[in-house]
Amino acid sequence: MFVSLEGPDGVGKTTQVALLVEALRAEGRDVVQCREPGGTELGERVRSLLLDGDVAVGDRAEALLFAAARAEIADEVIRPALAAGRWVVCDRFIDSSIVYQGIARGLGVESVRAASVFATDGLLPDRTIVLHGVDRRGDQPDRIEAAGAEFHRRVAEGFLRLAELDPARVVLVDATGAEDAVAARVRAAVDGGGA
Ligand code: TYD
């Protein structure tokens, strides 16, 4: 089972990824945790390039670099884990590209999705959980977090649209309230229930 967690910056996703992995392991499941961009040597280097405010990156180059990092993690980490019968929980995947590059940067949902599907050779999560409703961005923004209020408004709206684009895979989860209450909603959403 391949699960991705998604949402705008500052929604509390990283905490919820850790809590979900903990809950699944407590149920006896063998879980691989990963994050995007990253998880491989190339992916970590691409991550530094993409998040470093000193490196200028054009929109299409940005989309292709995220896709290149995704190709590596799909081949080196995710497919082998799934083939061994393990669970994979990934902090961001294809939907971040669809929303940040396709919608918020304006490159178009279809072309960004196509680049990403090419990168992963068709691999998609079985379930994608989109957290929404909270914005706790810190005061040390990386290059993408520093993109401005209008950009982040488009990101937040874009994530809400995702569930409409792919209702069989994507579940929206309300991220407001106590961490453990959100964690319970996330766990339920893995099994298919919306919240
Ligand atoms: P990260 O520090 O992982 O942010 P977060 O903790 O919010 O997940 O940085 C990843 C940043 O890259 C984040 O702003 C979202 C952005 N991003 C894209 O724009 N496109 C993508 O395909 C991915 C995976 C991330």
Side-chain angles (χ1 to χ4, degrees):
M1 176 85 173
F2 175 21
V3 181
S4 62
L5 262 81
E6 297 277 3
D9 298 275
V11 78
K13 183 174 45 59
T14 304
T15 306
Q16 290 301 326
V17 167
L19 292 174
L20 176 62
V21 169
E22 203 179 289
L24 292 170
R25 287 185 178 148
E27 294 167 22
R29 297 178 208 282
D30 184 3
V31 186
V32 173
Q33 179 180 348
C34 55
R35 69 164 183 187
E36 267 225 63
T40 64
E41 172 143 20
L42 182 133
E44 291 296 334
R45 291 202 198 185
V46 167
R47 178 185 182 86
S48 323
L49 267 176
L50 283 168
L51 299 185
D52 180 350
D54 295 336
V55 182
V57 185
D59 290 351
R60 276 168 294 125
E62 180 181 277
L64 292 169
L65 284 167
F66 277 117
R70 184 160 305 129
E72 290 294 290
I73 201 171
D75 279 359
E76 287 187 25
V77 179
I78 301 175
R79 277 188 204 280
L82 296 174
R86 308 177 77 187
W87 280 53
V88 175
V89 175
C90 199
D91 188 337
R92 301 193 181 279
F93 200 64
I94 180 172
D95 301 289
S96 282
S97 284
I98 291 176
V99 170
Y100 284 83
Q101 282 67 52
I103 297 175
R105 295 279 194 227
L107 293 176
V109 167
E110 283 317 318
S111 44
V112 171
R113 190 205 302 272
S116 195
V117 168
F118 170 73
T120 67
D121 201 14
L123 179 69
L124 283 174
D126 300 300
R127 173 78 61 215
T128 294
I129 293 161
V130 174
L131 295 172
H132 71 99
V134 171
D135 185 354
R136 291 192 213 98
R137 265 177 288 155
D139 51 12
Q140 296 212 307
D142 60 40
R143 189 181 60 82
I144 288 176
E145 283 169 346
E150 173 57 24
F151 178 81
H152 287 285
R153 195 190 54 72
R154 289 197 296 272
V155 167
E157 275 183 18
F159 274 116
L160 296 180
R161 263 179 61 200
L162 267 186
E164 292 163 29
L165 293 172
D166 199 344
R169 175 173 62 88
V170 179
V171 184
L172 285 178
V173 169
D174 177 0
T176 60
E179 264 175 17
D180 53 350
V182 180
R185 282 177 222 143
V186 169
R187 178 64 192 89
V190 171
D191 294 334

